[in-house]
Amino acid sequence: LPLVLKNYKIGTRCYVADLDMPHIYEKASFDRKYNGIVNFPASTRDLSLVVPDKVLNRDIETVFIKYGGEHLEDFRLFDLYEGEQIGEGLKSMSYTLRFRAKDRNLEDNDVNKAMESIMNGLSELGVTLRQ
């Protein structure tokens, strides 16, 4: 291999792989299911939280998935702050949560129930709403 690298003037480490494509093809799944485009609007909520340092982003996202309900479509961390204004041993984390029903317009009550459930789950981690 060093001779090949020198011959092609490749100055960095290279790797070679031999793939058994017929074997890979046997194991591949081509059973794909696609969801159609939803014609109903999404409802978004921003959530600013005060979080103990020991609580990780994945812990919070696990709560979103577990308690967000069937209409929680997506969530995204958009801000993380650690500093004097929050307090020692704490951090501020802000998320956008997007809810959408596939068969109807969501009502505020649907989203409020999901948000209440999420907040109950987060309180078990010692997470509170930022004031």
Side-chain angles (χ1 to χ4, degrees):
L1 196 59
L3 186 60
V4 174
L5 293 174
K6 185 177 178 183
N7 186 40
Y8 288 101
K9 297 178 183 161
I10 298 172
T12 60
R13 183 174 292 198
C14 287
Y15 298 91
V16 176
D18 182 18
L19 301 176
D20 184 0
M21 289 308 290
H23 181 70
I24 292 172
Y25 187 80
E26 284 177 16
K27 304 291 183 190
S29 170
F30 297 100
D31 181 27
R32 303 228 195 293
K33 298 203 182 343
Y34 297 95
N35 294 327
I37 296 172
V38 178
N39 292 326
F40 298 99
S43 178
T44 59
R45 299 284 170 94
D46 287 344
L47 193 58
S48 291
L49 305 170
V50 177
V51 180
D53 278 339
K54 65 180 180 177
V55 177
L56 304 175
N57 179 54
R58 76 168 170 248
D59 300 327
I60 293 172
E61 290 183 351
T62 299
V63 170
F64 291 163
I65 292 166
K66 183 175 180 182
Y67 296 102
E70 65 179 312
H71 302 304
L72 180 62
E73 182 178 74
D74 190 32
F75 47 85
R76 180 179 59 86
L77 175 68
F78 69 86
D79 187 48
L80 172 63
Y81 173 78
E82 296 175 293
E84 292 177 14
Q85 295 173 336
I86 300 301
E88 192 170 324
L90 299 171
K91 58 191 169 191
S92 172
M93 300 176 79
S94 298
Y95 294 85
T96 296
L97 290 86
R98 186 172 60 225
F99 298 87
R100 186 187 322 254
K102 295 177 183 174
D103 59 345
R104 62 185 173 87
N105 287 333
L106 283 179
E107 296 179 12
D108 280 341
N109 192 37
D110 298 318
V111 178
N112 291 342
K113 284 180 186 177
M115 292 299 292
E116 184 178 331
S117 181
I118 287 170
M119 287 310 302
N120 288 337
L122 290 172
S123 69
E124 294 174 9
L125 298 175
V127 175
T128 59
L129 280 175
R130 184 171 176 190
Q131 301 298 323

